[in-house]
Amino acid sequence: MADCCIIGGGVIGLSLARELAGRGAAVEVVCRDPVARPASWAAAGIFPPVSDGPAATALERFTAFSDRLHWTWADELRAETGIDNGLRRCGGLHVAGTSAGRERLAAARARWLAAGVRCLDCDGAAVAAAEPALAGAVARGTVSAGVILPDEAQIRPSRHLDALLASCRARGVRITTATVQGLERDGRRVGGVRTAGGTVRAERYCLAAGSWSEGLAAALGLALSTRPIRGQIVLVRLPRQLLSRIVSFGLDYLVPRPDGRLLVGATIEDVGFDDRTTAAGEAGLIDVARRLLGDVDGAVVERSWSGLRPGNRDGRPTLGPVPGWDNVWVTTGHFRAGMHLSTGSAVAVADMLDGVVPVPWLDAFAPWRGTESDDESVDAYLARVEIAAASPP
């Protein structure tokens, strides 16, 4: 019998498994898909710059905490597994072209400055100087202003997941690929996780199943407001890399990889559990790349994919013990920040399982929290997406 059974094999579940196993626990991960292939694998791996100053919200503090851990984990994972997860501070350039886009960019800059994030204003000429590949977009009027964020970073999600999986296996974590059919109850305790291949038993359990957590939680009487939001991404192979920074254009982005490839993302679609890519989604993303870079000779669309990001209604993840149960915890609802928040979530939940009193701001993510939030809700985010679609950046 394991000390802990984690339901979910994405970046959240694997990070928690690694952390617990590193503390000496016997851990089993049960996942419905091949491990490390859910929404986590489909992520772009953008880490926006964060600050945890006095005015920071609980989510901003949690992100800053997770961000600091990522740099430590990257070194540890490389030493343990030999895998470089690609974490690097490449910087970001946020650009706009229309008057409405410039107003939104100015408002974002004001928020970054208020949060203590380093940023630098750019006119069109400065944008072209910073990223010469955008000179054509500046000349065409597609881009007329920008803000450089020197501390924006990126990670290679597939490599990070490979490193996590290798670390988990080296630390003795057992991985079981199976669909969870139900939970066995024993008074105020869960006694086992039923799968087609048998029942997995452990002393403690943690729900980390992303968009699928809501149904499992409902069986325990916990109402989560987590729902899937589809994101499609296109991977383009370039003859040579054209960008040195992440370029964000409204809600779309280009992420340059050192191997010459370029990620173009991402759609934001409330379509339930449909994780298929679409011709319209791919065409829209390719159009974004063309608007910014023009027609690049030798550029080839290599592949496209999608993931279902688990969004909570109030815009915050859910972490903590499930009310009414003595041996069940939950960590889910990280929406578009699951990769970034994975390290902090792992340490925080592992501390809870070990009986460590959490820092006060973690109460903002407790399963029993209220509905008030300083952070943008998923519904508000989706409404902003609709407005942005009708008003070009």
Side-chain angles (χ1 to χ4, degrees), residues 246-262:
I246 298 166
V247 174
S248 296
F249 187 50
L251 296 172
D252 300 308
Y253 51 77
L254 309 179
V255 183
R257 299 301 199 204
D259 59 8
R261 288 171 172 81
L262 187 73

Side-chain angles (χ1 to χ4, degrees), residues 20 35 46 53 66 80 85 98 108 117 128 171 182 194 208 217 246 331 380:
L20 287 172
V35 70
I46 300 173
S66 302
E80 287 180 40
N85 67 9
T98 65
V117 172
R171 295 181 179 200
R194 293 197 308 275
I246 298 166
T331 172

Side-chain angles (χ1 to χ4, degrees), residues 74-305:
D75 290 339
E76 292 176 351
L77 288 169
R78 189 184 302 109
E80 287 180 40
T81 70
I83 299 173
D84 180 356
N85 67 9
L87 181 64
R88 62 190 183 96
R89 216 176 291 281
C90 59
L93 173 60
H94 294 243
V95 298
T98 65
S99 57
R102 290 192 298 272
E103 288 178 6
R104 290 193 291 268
L105 189 57
R109 177 179 178 274
R111 292 193 297 271
W112 288 322
L113 287 173
V117 172
R118 291 197 300 155
C119 55
L120 176 65
D121 256 341
C122 299
D123 59 13
V127 167
E131 292 291 346
L134 300 180
V138 172
R140 293 188 298 271
T142 303
V143 171
S144 58
V147 175
I148 292 177
L149 302 178
D151 296 322
E152 193 154 81
Q154 64 165 285
I155 196 171
R156 297 289 290 270
S158 60
R159 291 185 185 177
H160 183 62
L161 288 162
D162 286 344
L164 281 177
L165 183 57
S167 176
C168 282
R169 285 175 169 158
R171 295 181 179 200
V173 175
R174 181 176 178 181
I175 309 290
T176 299
T177 302
T179 298
V180 174
Q181 298 177 334
L183 303 175
E184 294 185 357
R185 306 183 181 195
D186 182 11
R188 289 172 54 91
R189 298 175 61 84
V190 165
V193 176
R194 293 197 308 275
T195 75
T199 300
V200 177
R201 302 192 186 280
E203 291 293 331
R204 297 168 295 180
Y205 300 83
C206 186
L207 307 182
S211 297
W212 287 265
S213 297
E214 183 176 17
L216 293 170
L220 300 175
L222 174 63
L224 294 178
S225 60
T226 304
R227 72 178 191 267
I229 305 296
R230 184 171 70 189
Q232 300 184 54
I233 290 180
V234 170
L235 180 67
V236 179
R237 187 176 72 249
L238 302 172
R240 62 182 178 83
Q241 187 53 259
L242 300 176
L243 299 172
S244 61
R245 299 173 180 83
I246 298 166
V247 174
S248 296
F249 187 50
L251 296 172
D252 300 308
Y253 51 77
L254 309 179
V255 183
R257 299 301 199 204
D259 59 8
R261 288 171 172 81
L262 187 73
L263 284 181
V264 187
T267 65
I268 302 165
E269 305 166 86
D270 193 2
V271 292
F273 285 91
D274 183 356
D275 63 355
R276 294 173 296 180
T277 57
T278 66
E282 181 176 309
L285 294 172
I286 293 171
D287 182 63
V288 170
R290 282 179 174 153
R291 290 179 66 194
L292 292 172
L293 301 176
D295 290 319
V296 179
D297 290 339
V300 177
V301 176
E302 200 165 82
R303 60 176 300 192
S304 61
W305 61 80

